[in-house]
Amino acid sequence: MIAVLKQGTTEEQLNKFTGWLKGFGLDVHISKGEFQTVIGLIGDTTKLDADLIGSLSMVETVRRVSDPFKSANRKFHPDDSIIDCSGVKVGGGNFAVISGPCSVESEAQLTGIAKAVKEAGSNMLRGGAFKPRTSPYDFQGLKAEGIELLLKAKKETGLPVVTEIMDAHHLPLFEEVDVIQVGARNMQNFELLKELGKTNKPILLKRGLSSTIKEWLMSAEYIMAGGNENVMLCERGIRTFDSQYTRNCLDLSAVPVLKELTHLPVVIDPSHATGSSKYVKSMALAAVAAGADGLMTEVHSDPLHALCDGAQSLTPEQFSDMMKSVNIIRNALREAL
Ligand code: PEP
Ligand code: MN
């Protein structure tokens, strides 16, 4: 249920009202926007009399929300959420450019790429330390050492780092990581999501391989229900019937749909979506035009010898070229809107 309060409601009235609501055992979310305050109620609201609430002098409107996602719901939080990733803000007009190799391979590899992507306009560095590989015989990542190398690259470049977690037991290793990525394969690892809900780290939640938008939002809800509202969504392509020419099918319609349904930032990963560096730039530009809040792209200085996902990795030169066009589209949009 949500109640929109009338302008001019005092702090005292608000506290009295929320205190009364909490007495019903409900979680009370307060979203103070520029023009209105929205009270979102989570829990068993069947005990509440909506007509009674609607009759209160400070209440503008009251209505029940039937969507199963509540904290992630834009009805509960009409303004865009802005996620602070160690100083880099994402959402509400702030654009994230997250780039780097699929996997951290060595110090020289990572710092070289980190400097190049920073120079080209990236404001965060990505790199997998724990890698979810389809085959157990493939490179599994440098694990703890990979995280150390990411932190070194962060020290050298000042770029906040994004890296994937696969097991909640590894959380202590992520203490200094700026953004924790939940990969497509773990989008519905509910125990992992619950543990991440207990942290206050920004979480980049990738869409599951064949997940619906509702399932994805419910996974965000798992993290938020635990108290961590710092969630960003990352569309990385979904499985459809054709995998001959592209690795996945980039669902760009997810951008406007999510913008309507949720206040959380939406990041697009055109690398895993297409699986080919040839198509990354076009899809990145389309994502920006569709209104995405950020891009995550894989960049490798030597894609031919990358230990993972070389085919979809841009060289630093290709990345720099992509960024020039991204900035042109962003500026054009700013002028047009
Ligand atoms: C990745 O970002 O390197 C990755 C493994 O992505 P996904 O979970 O989307 O496959
Ligand atoms: Mn990858």
Side-chain angles (χ1 to χ4, degrees), residues 102 126 131 247 272 298 308-309 312:
C102 178
R126 65 147 285 147
K131 291 305 304 175
R247 187 174 176 183
H272 291 87
E298 288 188 337
C308 183
D309 285 348
Q312 66 193 35

Side-chain angles (χ1 to χ4, degrees), residues 96-239:
V97 184
I98 307 166
S99 25
C102 178
S103 307
V104 178
E105 298 171 9
S106 69
E107 183 171 350
Q109 174 244 19
L110 187 66
T111 45
I113 296 171
K115 285 179 185 162
V117 295
K118 183 181 177 179
E119 171 88 27
S122 187
N123 52 14
M124 283 194 253
L125 173 67
R126 65 147 285 147
F130 292 92
K131 291 305 304 175
R133 303 304 300 275
T134 302
S135 165
Y137 308 117
D138 286 340
F139 177 57
Q140 303 287 307
L142 294 181
K143 306 184 175 75
E145 190 198 336
I147 293 189
E148 299 230 323
L149 294 180
L150 279 163
L151 298 178
K152 263 193 187 168
K154 169 182 167 181
K155 218 174 200 174
E156 234 171 279
T157 58
L159 293 178
V161 291
V162 182
T163 194
E164 177 168 354
I165 193 164
M166 285 168 52
D167 186 330
H169 293 112
H170 296 150
L171 257 174
L173 294 170
F174 286 69
E175 205 121 291
E176 290 174 63
V177 165
D178 304 284
V179 177
I180 301 181
Q181 175 177 322
V182 175
R185 289 153 192 84
N186 271 313
M187 189 204 84
Q188 286 192 316
N189 181 341
F190 300 119
E191 292 307 315
L192 175 62
L193 301 178
K194 283 185 213 167
E195 287 306 312
L196 295 173
K198 295 179 195 161
T199 74
N200 59 3
K201 291 265 182 210
I203 309 294
L204 185 69
L205 178 65
K206 297 191 96 176
R207 182 176 184 176
L209 306 177
S210 302
S211 296
T212 64
I213 286 179
K214 196 193 260 184
E215 286 165 341
W216 190 12
L217 288 172
M218 290 313 291
S219 290
E221 195 74 18
Y222 261 94
I223 300 168
M224 300 176 88
N228 184 359
E229 308 227 313
N230 300 313
V231 180
M232 299 175 281
L233 301 166
C234 179
E235 160 67 37
R236 43 79 72 207
I238 46 174
R239 283 213 172 147

